[in-house]
């Protein structure tokens, strides 16, 4: 081999190097462009997310302001020892779906909310480790409609035992009814022998004697229900015969004559 030719530049080799270099340069350009577009997409996504959160926040504030102007009170503000887990803000309910988009706190008519505070004070006088625990309070009428039609497999005479006909409105729609239980300081609820939204007859307070006799309802479960009813009577609430967790503050006629119903939530756009 002629060592003197080792530094000679070969035109063919130059062309080959240029050909091989081109895809690398192109790839770098594409990566750079893709990086820019990914960054833009990320920025757009973040902006959209912020806009959605801002609209949601505005909707929540707007709904709360509306309820306050209508004479409703946030129970959790009146008494922080009353805890809550609104079941229709998630899927842990008989509909198995989220029904409240904006409503996130337990609102009742103010005079009724104050009565519930009396119940809470009475419970705490019996046992400071126990708390009232709310599942549902005021309920928008449009949600009531969804519930009513979701149970259309039942004839209306049976359906009204679980969901009020929206044509006549529910006391929930007026903020004059509450779904409630008792929990311990670790937020574990007392065993009532049937869960919230349980449509089985074992959930009926009116049939407790039968289920005690068949031992399907234990003495402890029954005593827990008695305690809840005793506590709620301190605020003059009455239990619904077919739901151990549902308590009315007044008659439907009284609610219609005194209060304004919540027709619907302000939806998130």
């Amino acid at each position: 081999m002629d060592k003197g030719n080792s530094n000679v530049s070969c035109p063919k080799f130059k062309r080959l190097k240029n050909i091989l270099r081109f895809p690398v340069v192109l790839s770098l350009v594409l990566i750079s462009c893709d990086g820019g577009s990914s960054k833009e997409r990320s920025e757009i996504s973040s902006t959209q997310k912020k806009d959605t959160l801002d609209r949601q926040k505005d909707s929540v504030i707007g709904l709360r302001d509306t309820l306050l102007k209508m004479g409703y009170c946030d129970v959790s503000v009146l008494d922080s020892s009353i805890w809550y887990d609104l079941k229709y803000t998630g899927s842990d309910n008989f509909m198995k779906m989220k029904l409240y988009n904006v409503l996130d706190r337990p609102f009742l008519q103010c005079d009724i909310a104050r009565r519930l505070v009396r119940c809470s004070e009475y419970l705490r006088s019996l046992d400071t480790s126990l708390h009232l625990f709310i599942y549902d309070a005021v309920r928008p009428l449009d949600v009531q409609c969804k519930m009513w039609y979701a149970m259309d497999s039942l004839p209306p005479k049976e359906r009204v035992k679980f969901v009020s006909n929206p044509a006549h409105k529910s006391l929930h729609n007026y903020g004059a009814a509450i779904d409630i239980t008792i929990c311990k300081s670790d937020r574990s609820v007392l065993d009532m022998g049937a869960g919230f939204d349980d449509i089985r007859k074992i959930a009926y307070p009116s049939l407790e004697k039968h289920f005690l006799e068949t031992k399907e309802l234990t003495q402890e479960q029954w005593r827990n229900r008695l305690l809840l009813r005793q506590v709620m009577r301190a605020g003059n609430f009455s239990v619904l015969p077919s739901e151990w967790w549902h308590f009315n503050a007044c008659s439907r006629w009284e609610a219609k004559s005194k209060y304004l119903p919540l027709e619907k939530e302000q939806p998130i756009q």
Side-chain angles (χ1 to χ4, degrees):
M1 175 184 286
D2 188 347
K3 291 183 180 180
N5 291 333
S6 62
N7 292 325
V8 175
S9 180
C10 176
K12 289 184 180 180
F13 182 67
K14 272 189 177 181
R15 287 197 298 273
L16 179 61
K17 284 200 299 182
N18 288 336
I19 292 169
L20 291 173
R21 187 186 297 124
F22 177 73
V24 176
V25 174
L26 180 60
S27 297
L28 290 173
V29 171
L30 290 174
I31 291 171
S32 176
C33 291
D34 183 64
S37 61
S38 296
K39 183 179 179 181
E40 288 175 3
R41 285 196 298 270
S42 177
E43 289 175 352
I44 292 171
S45 177
S46 297
T47 301
Q48 289 174 340
K49 185 176 181 180
K50 183 178 182 302
D51 288 345
T52 299
L53 291 173
D54 286 344
R55 286 198 301 273
Q56 183 173 4
K57 183 178 178 181
D58 290 342
S59 295
V60 169
I61 293 172
L63 178 62
R64 290 178 187 173
D65 287 345
T66 297
L67 285 166
L68 292 174
K69 290 175 183 177
M70 291 171 66
Y72 288 82
C73 284
D74 182 343
V75 176
S76 64
V77 171
L78 286 181
D79 186 344
S80 60
S81 72
I82 299 176
W83 295 346
Y84 63 94
D85 176 18
L86 300 186
K87 291 299 185 180
Y88 302 118
T89 61
S91 59
D92 184 17
N93 55 68
F94 80 98
M95 295 276 286
K96 305 300 180 186
M97 62 185 293
K98 181 177 181 177
L99 294 170
Y100 296 167
N101 290 315
V102 179
L103 189 63
D104 64 347
R105 288 173 180 257
F107 280 86
L108 293 171
Q109 296 292 340
C110 284
D111 58 328
I112 294 172
R114 286 190 286 269
R115 284 162 54 185
L116 188 65
V117 170
R118 290 205 301 270
C119 297
S120 175
E121 291 169 348
Y122 176 67
L123 175 61
R124 304 281 283 170
S125 73
L126 299 176
D127 189 334
T128 56
S129 70
L130 298 178
H131 297 260
L132 287 177
F133 193 73
I134 298 172
Y135 289 139
D136 196 30
V138 68
R139 179 187 302 158
L141 183 59
D142 58 347
V143 172
Q144 190 74 28
C145 292
K146 292 178 183 178
M147 291 179 174
W148 177 256
Y149 291 112
M151 299 187 74
D152 59 4
S153 59
L154 294 175
K157 287 184 178 180
E158 286 297 312
R159 214 184 312 177
V160 293
K161 294 178 181 178
F162 311 105
V163 179
S164 291
N165 189 332
H168 307 299
K169 296 186 176 64
S170 163
L171 285 175
H172 273 295
N173 306 144
Y174 290 96
I178 191 156
D179 294 338
I180 199 164
T181 189
I182 295 173
C183 73
K184 301 175 185 177
S185 55
D186 62 357
R187 298 181 77 86
S188 61
V189 296
L190 300 189
D191 184 0
M192 300 293 182
F196 171 68
D197 269 355
D198 193 333
I199 66 171
R200 295 177 302 153
K201 293 193 184 307
I202 196 171
Y204 288 32
S206 60
L207 298 178
E208 286 170 354
K209 183 179 179 181
H210 165 74
F211 288 106
L212 281 168
E213 289 173 352
T214 62
K215 300 189 184 305
E216 293 172 80
L217 191 67
T218 68
Q219 289 289 328
E220 181 185 0
Q221 292 165 342
W222 180 59
R223 284 194 296 269
N224 288 340
R225 292 189 189 188
L226 290 181
L227 174 61
L228 178 60
R229 295 202 287 267
Q230 175 187 345
V231 168
M232 295 303 287
R233 278 197 300 270
N236 199 28
F237 289 85
S238 59
V239 72
L240 195 68
S242 58
E243 297 177 349
W244 64 258
W245 59 86
H246 179 107
F247 289 83
N248 291 331
C250 61
S251 68
R252 199 188 308 259
W253 177 87
E254 185 180 353
K256 287 182 177 181
S257 64
K258 290 176 62 176
Y259 308 125
L260 293 172
L262 178 61
E263 295 288 344
K264 62 181 179 178
E265 290 185 289
Q266 180 183 347
I268 300 171
Q269 300 299 327

